[in-house]
Amino acid sequence: MGGEEEQMDVDHQHHAHVQAKKKEPWVDKYRPKKVSDVAYQTEVVSALEKAMETHNLPHMLFYGPPGTGKTTCALAICKQLYGPELGKKRVLELNASDERGISVVRGKIKSFASTTVGEGVPGYPCPPYKILILDEADSMTNDAQSALRRMMETYSRVTRFFILCNYVSKIIDPISSRCAKFRFKSLDGGTMHERINFIAKGENLQLAEGTLQALEHVSAGDMRKAITLLQSAASLFGPELTGDRIREVAGVIPDEKIEELLQLCVAGDSQKSQALAEDILKDGFPCLQILEQFGYYLADSDLLEDEMKAEICLKLGEVEKKLVDGADEWLQLSHCISIATIVCSTKPEK
Amino acid sequence: MHGGNIFVCVFLFFRLFRLFALRANFSSLSLLLLLCFSIITKNTSQNLISSYIMSLWVDKYRPIELNQCEHVNASVANHLKELVKDGDCPHLLFYGPSGSGKKSLVLALLSTIFGPGAHKTKVEQKTWKIDATSTRKIEVDLMTQSSNYHIEINPSDAGYKDRYVVQEVIKEMARSRPIDAQGNAGYKILVLTECDKLSKEAQHGLRRTMEKYSSACRLILIADSVNRVLEAVRSRCLPVRVAAPRAEDIEKVLYDIAAKEKLTLPPQLCSKVAVFAKRDLRRAILALEACRVANYPFKETQSVQTTDWELYIAQIAAEILAEQSPKRLLQVRGRIYELLVNCIPPTLIFQTLCFYLSKRLDDEMKHEVIRWAAQFEHKLQLGSKAIIHIEAFIAQFMATYKRKLISAFA
Ligand SMILES: Nc1ncnc2c1ncn2[C@@H]1O[C@H](COP(=O)(O)OP(=O)(O)O)[C@@H](O)[C@H]1O
Ligand SMILES: [Mg+2]
């Protein structure tokens, strides 16, 4: 019947169709190219621009929550100082996805830091030093950091270190005290809306009413998260987006369900509250997500006294730890809901 | 599960046989064994068993194309179609409870991207030789299922060596990139099932390799519990939530299967099976097949048989409630041990025990049961010997329950 041949043909067509077209992530595509384009971080930006005018930068430590422009700033500085060509030679960027154990610090980083710089190129300031960017430095071990510290001392003449992290406390003292520190703030709603609108225009997206608010809400000041969600939603649902579609890709539980859950707990109906909690879990929402939203909702609710809230939140914290340890989601969730029901039904005695 | 090896399967098969031979009637015995086994092992080993022994409905009636997902996950399937319409896809992470149809969606997605060739798979036991350090070489054996376009592995089968496997497989895939007629390099897809069971190190390694080889391969990760997937990995994937189907939708699927098998399925029985399934489609289809084996033509009043291990646990629960004493604890311990040697996962024992104990208790005691179960199951994750923690839970429950009974009668 020639079935085999036909089959081959079909395969072939499909094959030709499937090429590795690399889609650039929007977070990179829409990364501000200049320091002055970084929004909202006004103090940081003006301080950095002043420092760049002198062409003599100190070692720097950027810290703040994720998606607030730390990496963007570091990359923009390099671009402005060296331009695209020389930048390849003068800048080394290592982030958490690169191996950065102590052996790498002693090998790769050391050899980069110790080499002398060559000629500059016309059109760019090209100060006579190299820049080493250590992104997401919180994940480096203390040993690796100590080794790094020695290098900062030895090679500071020819190499500047930019250390980027979420928490300064995770960086050992001797390093942070050698750096000029810059704190990045969580972005506010207005800035996020502006930026998202800009991207939506560039990508021909139609954002329905409420989309921006949903993005702002679920990403909580993390611009990277907002942009990634926008791209995910667009690739999954096409260019017409709504708040619900954003919430769907973000894996957020509808508020009504959480509200109902809390009301059942307050009513002391353990059977129904357990059933609902299990139902939400079966809808595929991760237990941690349920607890997190439940916690937020609880904190704002006026159905409960403060002491009761505190008691439940204490339990939420405990359970979160257990989940991270790998405990079963259903058992932990049931336990939490059971505690919430008990707490709500025993009126505090004064 | 360590379902990598057919010998293990056969061995377990006989173990189960011994355990349940006493109570199942003989004609349905082999199927029931298979059923209860498939419920537990789910992914790889289930495929194995079915391809070696017989084809179960759960496999026979998997949707082959995204278009065929009519009753369950229809909207997800539609969005996936939209996603891959230009032939490319990002890294994907499918998550949702077991039996919600993640694996079927993935397989359907593959054939939508690559055409029917994606379903021509072969199963093989592969050995990788990996340089762990410059001085030490290690060998890892793993079952793979692959077509020309994709490879599917369950890396958690490799135990503590999982991190080497993940990186090595991806490297190898990058080396053997498919080339199309125009000489363009294409990509392959690596499907990692149960990626929530991967160690932290393996997941970190995964993240590195994901970025490095992103042009040569796409990853599809499948996880029951997305919390156990590192944020760093999650943020590099497009998350796809797969909700467990509701009873109504399960019923539609059951009717479909019945029609294809040319059976008449009474509505009453159908809804009974759907409710019994507790939103787990696999459980529903397996139960329907068990009903078919037990009795055909179907009777409306026919009972849906619970799997044997579940009955066994229900019985244990009844024994615990009947008597609380060191002697009874010892007896129960023996039974729990029997379940464990037959590869019933300890967490499942906790859940099921908890369910059957709660069923017959008042609210106050229900809280106690869940409290202790949650506590001891957590300890189990930190420890290593399951029997100790399960026994501790039962002892704790007995003590609490007895105290309550005494105070009630005093
Ligand atoms: N202050 C900001 N102004 C404009 N865009 C921003 C800002 N902060 C973050 N972004 C956007 O978010 C993305 C991630 O920012 P990044 O600098 O990598 O964050 P991090 O602080 O975690 O290093 C970038 O692509 C950028 O487009
Ligand atoms: Mg960053």
Side-chain angles (χ1 to χ4, degrees):
Chain A
M1 285 215 319
E4 191 62 44
E5 224 162 73
E6 251 177 59
Q7 191 70 54
M8 293 260 301
D9 234 329
V10 172
D11 278 11
H12 217 95
Q13 275 171 14
H14 265 277
H15 206 158
H17 179 69
V18 176
Q19 291 166 20
K21 274 169 284 168
K22 209 158 180 270
K23 282 186 203 150
E24 195 185 11
W26 293 354
V27 272
D28 292 328
K29 193 169 168 187
Y30 293 96
R31 210 184 263 289
K33 305 279 180 295
K34 287 193 297 198
V35 175
S36 56
D37 290 345
V38 172
Y40 198 62
Q41 316 291 356
T42 36
E43 298 91 349
V44 174
V45 168
S46 65
L48 284 176
E49 293 210 298
K50 247 189 225 116
M52 276 163 65
E53 273 166 28
T54 67
H55 297 176
N56 191 14
L57 295 175
H59 295 310
M60 293 199 275
L61 178 75
F62 294 170
Y63 66 99
T68 49
K70 302 181 293 296
T71 310
T72 308
C73 268
L75 294 177
I77 291 175
C78 296
K79 214 169 275 156
Q80 279 172 270
L81 288 182
Y82 305 113
E85 278 311 306
L86 189 61
K88 283 182 199 144
K89 265 191 260 164
R90 292 273 188 100
V91 181
L92 177 65
E93 188 204 348
L94 294 173
N95 57 34
S97 57
D98 300 293
E99 194 68 59
R100 286 190 305 194
I102 188 152
S103 59
V104 175
V105 173
R106 286 190 183 138
K108 195 171 170 185
I109 295 186
K110 185 170 174 190
S111 73
F112 173 80
S114 58
T115 48
T116 49
V117 294
E119 288 283 294
V121 293
Y124 292 98
C126 302
Y129 47 77
K130 287 159 287 137
I131 293 179
L132 176 67
I133 303 175
L134 286 166
D135 206 345
E136 293 150 48
D138 327 51
S139 65
M140 291 177 76
T141 61
N142 276 3
D143 285 348
Q145 289 192 31
S146 308
L148 196 66
R149 180 199 105 176
R150 255 163 278 139
M151 247 159 265
M152 283 173 82
E153 274 170 4
T154 323
Y155 304 115
S156 70
R157 216 175 41 81
V158 284
T159 307
R160 297 296 131 84
F161 288 72
F162 290 4
I163 316 269
L164 278 52
C165 63
N166 295 131
Y167 303 101
V168 216
S169 54
K170 294 263 178 72
I171 303 297
I172 58 171
D173 237 23
I175 290 189
S176 62
S177 64
R178 281 181 172 73
C179 298
K181 295 188 204 55
F182 295 91
R183 184 171 164 276
F184 286 67
K185 304 173 285 187
S186 276
L187 271 60
D188 71 342
T191 315
M192 292 190 96
H193 292 193
E194 216 172 281
R195 202 66 204 158
I196 298 283
N197 275 326
F198 175 73
I199 296 175
K201 213 164 142 212
E203 297 291 333
N204 291 319
L205 304 178
Q206 285 98 51
L207 307 184
E209 186 122 5
T211 316
L212 290 173
Q213 286 72 14
L215 276 169
E216 179 194 340
H217 186 81
V218 292
S219 60
D222 178 345
M223 197 66 203
R224 180 187 305 102
K225 193 165 176 189
I227 298 177
T228 314
L229 281 173
L230 189 71
Q231 186 170 18
S232 297
S235 57
L236 211 51
F237 299 108
E240 281 162 37
L241 297 178
T242 62
D244 283 340
R245 295 188 156 175
I246 296 292
R247 274 188 287 270
E248 173 62 46
V249 278
V252 176
I253 305 152
D255 277 341
E256 310 88 72
K257 292 234 170 163
I258 298 293
E259 187 181 338
E260 192 186 343
L261 187 59
L262 185 62
Q263 274 165 357
L264 287 173
C265 288
V266 172
D269 190 334
S270 48
Q271 204 168 357
K272 276 198 189 141
S273 58
Q274 292 287 359
L276 180 60
E278 191 177 339
D279 206 50
I280 300 177
L281 202 59
K282 286 268 173 178
D283 276 338
F285 294 106
C287 183
L288 268 180
Q289 181 71 33
I290 303 175
L291 295 182
E292 189 184 320
Q293 281 187 254
F294 187 71
Y296 273 122
Y297 204 87
L298 180 81
D300 285 341
S301 164
D302 42 5
L303 293 171
L304 292 167
E305 323 246 337
D306 284 349
E307 283 153 58
M308 297 154 109
K309 287 183 187 174
E311 208 170 319
I312 298 173
C313 287
L314 212 58
K315 200 65 203 177
L316 292 181
E318 215 175 273
V319 164
E320 202 254 10
K321 158 86 172 82
K322 291 185 180 171
L323 285 169
V324 172
D325 287 341
D328 180 62
E329 298 198 320
W330 180 73
L331 286 172
Q332 294 302 329
L333 182 64
S334 300
H335 177 43
C336 241
I337 297 302
S338 139
I339 294 289
T341 323
I342 295 175
V343 170
C344 293
S345 54
T346 45
K347 296 271 170 310
E349 294 150 38
K350 287 265 164 71
Chain B
M1 297 288 301
H2 0 19
N5 197 322
I6 186 66
F7 295 112
V8 176
C9 296
V10 171
F11 175 72
L12 291 175
F13 204 82
F14 284 108
R15 279 253 173 218
L16 282 167
F17 192 88
R18 211 191 70 211
L19 176 61
F20 298 118
L22 296 175
R23 276 175 304 110
N25 83 34
F26 200 79
S27 67
S28 63
L29 185 70
S30 60
L31 183 64
L32 278 178
L33 288 179
L34 209 54
L35 294 183
C36 61
F37 198 67
S38 326
I39 279 201
I40 304 158
T41 57
K42 297 192 296 196
N43 299 325
T44 337
S45 29
Q46 178 211 329
N47 288 344
L48 273 176
I49 294 184
S50 51
S51 56
Y52 278 97
I53 303 174
M54 65 172 96
S55 179
L56 292 172
W57 291 354
V58 266
D59 287 319
K60 205 165 156 193
Y61 297 111
R62 261 183 207 283
I64 295 176
E65 292 260 354
L66 287 175
N67 292 331
Q68 294 174 358
C69 302
E70 295 172 79
H71 304 309
V72 295
N73 301 328
S75 74
V76 178
N78 276 330
H79 296 142
L80 288 174
K81 254 188 282 174
E82 165 80 25
L83 180 71
V84 300
K85 71 173 187 293
D86 56 356
D88 199 1
C89 79
H91 300 307
L92 293 168
L93 167 62
F94 285 78
Y95 67 96
S98 71
S100 58
K102 301 183 289 292
K103 182 73 170 290
S104 305
L105 272 175
V106 170
L107 293 178
L109 178 71
L110 287 174
S111 72
T112 306
I113 302 178
F114 297 111
H119 280 290
K120 279 191 240 150
T121 59
K122 58 176 187 291
V123 177
E124 55 188 331
Q125 178 88 24
K126 272 202 176 182
T127 307
W128 280 277
K129 290 198 179 59
I130 301 162
D131 300 315
T133 60
S134 49
T135 51
R136 199 165 57 98
K137 264 193 184 227
I138 58 167
E139 271 189 25
V140 188
D141 286 326
L142 204 63
M143 205 56 119
T144 66
Q145 186 163 13
S146 58
S147 73
N148 287 337
Y149 309 102
H150 83 283
I151 302 179
E152 180 194 322
I153 56 173
N154 184 342
S156 61
D157 285 348
Y160 72 97
K161 293 176 192 160
D162 56 0
R163 90 184 133 123
Y164 302 113
V165 175
V166 172
Q167 293 186 0
E168 203 56 32
V169 177
I170 296 181
K171 273 187 214 156
E172 190 184 296
M173 284 173 74
R175 260 183 258 129
S176 63
R177 280 174 81 164
I179 307 285
D180 72 1
Q182 282 90 48
N184 296 317
Y187 63 88
K188 275 194 179 186
I189 288 187
L190 174 61
V191 180
L192 297 180
T193 53
E194 298 195 33
C195 75
D196 45 346
K197 299 229 179 80
L198 279 177
S199 65
K200 284 236 165 62
E201 294 74 40
Q203 294 193 38
H204 273 300
L206 192 62
R207 157 189 178 167
R208 255 196 297 283
T209 15
M210 245 160 121
E211 287 179 338
K212 212 162 155 192
Y213 299 103
S214 68
S215 60
C217 81
R218 302 285 183 277
L219 262 71
I220 296 186
L221 309 176
I222 303 180
D224 281 357
S225 163
V226 74
N227 287 151
R228 284 183 218 159
V229 181
L230 290 185
E231 179 60 37
V233 173
R234 257 193 273 168
S235 66
R236 280 170 179 73
C237 301
L238 179 65
V240 180
R241 178 173 61 87
V242 184
R246 304 201 164 268
E248 312 82 274
D249 304 328
I250 290 183
E251 281 185 32
K252 286 182 204 149
V253 175
L254 294 181
Y255 281 127
D256 252 17
I257 291 179
K260 283 180 191 145
E261 288 283 322
K262 303 198 170 51
L263 308 173
T264 27
L265 176 60
Q268 227 175 341
L269 180 64
C270 184
S271 56
K272 216 188 309 180
V273 173
V275 170
F276 164 83
K278 295 188 203 143
R279 300 187 65 181
D280 181 337
L281 192 54
R282 180 183 302 107
R283 191 173 149 103
I285 300 176
L286 289 170
L288 183 69
E289 192 166 3
C291 287
R292 163 75 179 77
V293 174
N295 190 19
Y296 192 80
F298 289 127
K299 287 200 207 83
E300 287 187 0
T301 50
Q302 178 172 352
S303 69
V304 182
Q305 272 183 331
T306 314
T307 45
D308 277 306
W309 59 266
E310 206 174 325
L311 282 177
Y312 196 76
I313 295 179
Q315 206 178 328
I316 296 175
E319 281 166 17
I320 295 172
L321 291 173
E323 183 189 324
Q324 301 82 36
S325 66
K327 186 166 145 253
R328 180 51 59 95
L329 186 60
L330 198 64
Q331 282 168 359
V332 168
R333 181 186 211 270
R335 287 165 161 277
I336 297 286
Y337 192 69
E338 192 73 357
L339 285 166
L340 288 173
V341 278
N342 285 290
C343 284
I344 309 285
T347 298
L348 192 62
I349 301 181
F350 265 112
Q351 288 175 342
T352 318
L353 205 50
C354 200
F355 176 80
Y356 281 104
L357 286 173
S358 303
K359 239 180 164 176
R360 297 168 54 181
L361 294 168
D362 62 4
D363 268 5
E364 192 191 333
M365 273 315 288
K366 269 186 195 148
H367 291 307
E368 291 289 320
V369 173
I370 193 71
R371 173 172 156 213
W372 296 116
Q375 179 170 332
F376 285 105
E377 199 270 342
H378 170 237
K379 291 207 172 135
L380 166 76
Q381 299 303 327
L382 303 177
S384 60
K385 277 258 176 277
I387 186 85
I388 297 177
H389 301 283
I390 300 178
E391 192 179 19
F393 164 64
I394 296 171
Q396 177 68 54
F397 173 78
M398 281 183 171
T400 316
Y401 190 52
K402 185 147 204 172
R403 209 172 304 133
K404 182 177 151 141
L405 287 181
I406 291 172
S407 71
F409 286 115

